[in-house]
Amino acid sequence: MTWHAGAGSVERVSTSETPLVRVLDADGRFAPSAAAEQYLPLIEAISDAELEQFYRDMVSIRAIDVQATNLQRQGQLALWPPSRGQEAAQVGSARAARAQDTIFPSYREHVVTRIRGVDPLDIIKLMRGVSHGGWDPTDPKNGNTRLYTLVLGSQTLHAAGYAMGLNFDGRSGTGDPERDEAVIVYYGDGASSQGDVHEAMVFAASYQAPTVFFLQNNHWAISVPVETQSRVPLVERSAGYGIPSVRVDGNDVLASYAVSRVALDEARSGLGPRAIEAVTYRLGAHTTSDDPTKYRGSDEEESWALRDPIVRLRAFLENRGASGQFFADADAEAADAAEDLRARTVELGPPSPDKMFDFVYSDPHPLIDEQKAWRARYEASFEASSEAAGHSAGRN
Ligand SMILES: Cc1ncc(C[n+]2csc(CCOP(=O)(O)OP(=O)(O)O)c2C)c(N)n1
Ligand SMILES: [Mg+2]
């Protein structure tokens, strides 16, 4: 099917006929698509405990995400990029990674980082301006999670380079599944048009670097719809570089988990890079600075709300006999996590202005020292003038 859009009636390739790996339908029924067949043994091996963990991950991050959005509205944060709607894509892929793998997030992967051990408060610190990086990626408690990257697509180059290094160092593709490492990098539909992403794919493919390119197609790059990004399905971009690529229903956590497991296992075992396009939807605003009512209709949002990944997994678990107590406990755990984050956020205090000078160069630099001293004098001048105002008020 083709359709026409925009000035000049540009012919585009429809994305509707591209095979999609899907295991659960929108009502949570087990209804695998033809493309899901090969993944069924893996899916059937997922334990009840793992399924319940997926659900707990998803509801906890939803509550944290709502809390962080509220904190921004209440003046506690400069910005928050909501992840609502993308929980299944993120939980499935993050739970598929092994401890030794390295994660390169973009800026919306809140549950990916949480699963790896990063404290959500570290993201809050970044969004409040009290930290310029967020967390220490070399600290073992952060599970090999590199920093959030706001320069679109640049993390794909970091990931491909790191993965090439794994090969050079003999840390991947040795045939030892317990020790071999891979890399998974997250990026968006908009970022997929960045030159960096294409260069990263060339290097990963040429050097058979163990990189899994995980594209979350959430249909929007701020106000630009995905239809404008590409005339072919995004999954074909990576395929064009010779990288085996699959398209998955990103709102189906089981499908996301299965395709990510296979892609990571293959990358780790020396078969080269893999790519996944997870088709999902950003239910919230791009960030708290954005107003999506300016560029998309509520009918579109409502149609995607019906495909909410949490509702889908909940229905599946209920059909399998999960107890009401389990769901109540998961909700309570999520509320506690969000409340704890709020309490710790409001205790953070204001950002220190001096910090912006501290990490410009690794060594002291006279120009930076001079600027830092100027800023301190400038700040002090307000105290001096308010003291003077106090004295003059006292004289009157
Ligand atoms: C190199 C670069 N260009 C532009 C921007 C401004 N910008 C920030 S987010 C964004 C849209 C990204 O969309 P997408 O890649 O689909 O990710 P999403 O926000 O939907 O998760 C843009 C254009 C940027 N951060 N970096
Ligand atoms: Mg997007």
Side-chain angles (χ1 to χ4, degrees), residues 52-357:
E52 292 183 353
Q53 182 66 59
F54 294 166
Y55 185 80
R56 287 165 49 213
D57 288 338
M58 287 163 70
V59 291
S60 285
I61 209 64
R62 178 78 57 101
I64 286 171
D65 194 59
V66 168
Q67 183 70 270
T69 304
N70 293 343
L71 284 163
Q72 192 282 334
R73 287 289 182 256
Q74 292 157 7
Q76 294 287 335
L77 308 179
L79 189 77
W80 185 256
S83 62
R84 194 157 62 87
Q86 298 179 219
E87 295 89 349
Q90 296 188 8
V91 167
S93 53
R95 286 282 170 203
R98 283 176 169 250
Q100 70 265 30
D101 296 334
T102 297
I103 315 289
F104 288 79
S106 182
Y107 47 75
R108 208 185 289 285
E109 282 67 58
H110 310 320
V111 73
V112 174
T113 57
R114 185 168 190 258
I115 285 170
R116 298 298 290 192
V118 175
D119 184 345
L121 190 73
D122 287 343
I123 308 176
I124 290 279
K125 286 180 185 165
L126 189 65
M127 301 295 166
R128 193 180 165 97
V130 297
S131 161
H132 288 195
W135 56 91
D136 179 355
T138 64
D139 186 331
K141 78 178 167 54
N142 294 323
N144 299 331
T145 310
R146 315 311 290 193
L147 299 183
Y148 269 8
T149 310
L150 278 80
V151 181
L152 292 180
S154 59
Q155 74 279 12
T156 59
L157 283 173
H158 309 157
Y162 189 90
M164 287 167 62
L166 291 178
N167 276 351
F168 294 147
D169 290 349
R171 286 161 57 189
S172 192
T174 69
D176 179 351
E178 300 306 318
R179 289 188 41 217
D180 281 337
E181 300 176 42
V183 160
I184 181 166
V185 57
Y186 293 84
Y187 65 111
D189 44 289
S192 78
S193 297
Q194 285 290 132
D196 281 4
V197 174
H198 295 264
E199 291 161 20
M201 287 178 178
V202 169
F203 273 89
S206 295
Y207 286 85
Q208 291 291 282
T211 322
V212 174
F213 291 91
F214 195 92
L215 163 57
Q216 287 173 86
N217 173 0
N218 65 6
H219 284 78
W220 290 92
I222 315 185
S223 58
V224 177
V226 66
E227 290 79 12
T228 308
Q229 293 296 340
S230 176
R231 295 187 187 178
V232 297
L234 296 178
V235 69
E236 291 183 17
R237 291 185 153 176
S238 43
Y241 293 105
I243 300 174
S245 304
V246 295
R247 198 168 206 236
V248 66
D249 183 336
N251 285 8
D252 174 350
V253 70
L254 302 189
S256 173
Y257 173 78
V259 298
S260 305
R261 260 291 296 271
V262 169
L264 281 159
D265 286 350
E266 289 177 348
R268 231 182 270 114
S269 66
L271 293 172
R274 294 292 184 264
I276 295 164
E277 179 195 355
V279 182
T280 180
Y281 192 78
R282 160 167 65 72
L283 286 172
H286 171 68
T287 67
T288 44
S289 300
D290 172 47
D291 174 5
T293 64
K294 298 276 187 256
Y295 55 81
R296 69 186 190 188
S298 57
D299 47 342
E300 180 185 306
E301 289 178 12
E302 281 156 20
S303 82
W304 278 95
L306 296 174
R307 287 173 263 180
D308 187 313
I310 295 182
V311 174
R312 191 182 299 197
L313 183 61
R314 184 181 175 117
F316 177 68
L317 292 176
E318 281 171 349
N319 290 341
R320 278 170 71 99
S323 68
Q325 190 60 47
F326 163 71
F327 292 112
D329 289 348
D331 285 345
E333 180 188 12
D336 284 351
E339 197 45 53
D340 167 64
L341 189 64
R342 161 171 286 276
R344 291 189 295 143
T345 300
V346 298
E347 280 169 12
L348 281 174
S352 155
D354 276 351
K355 267 199 172 172
M356 75 177 133
F357 302 103

Side-chain angles (χ1 to χ4, degrees), residues 36-57:
E37 290 288 326
Q38 61 174 303
Y39 298 99
L40 292 183
L42 188 57
I43 286 161
E44 279 153 14
I46 302 173
S47 68
D48 283 342
E50 285 172 306
L51 289 171
E52 292 183 353
Q53 182 66 59
F54 294 166
Y55 185 80
R56 287 165 49 213
D57 288 338

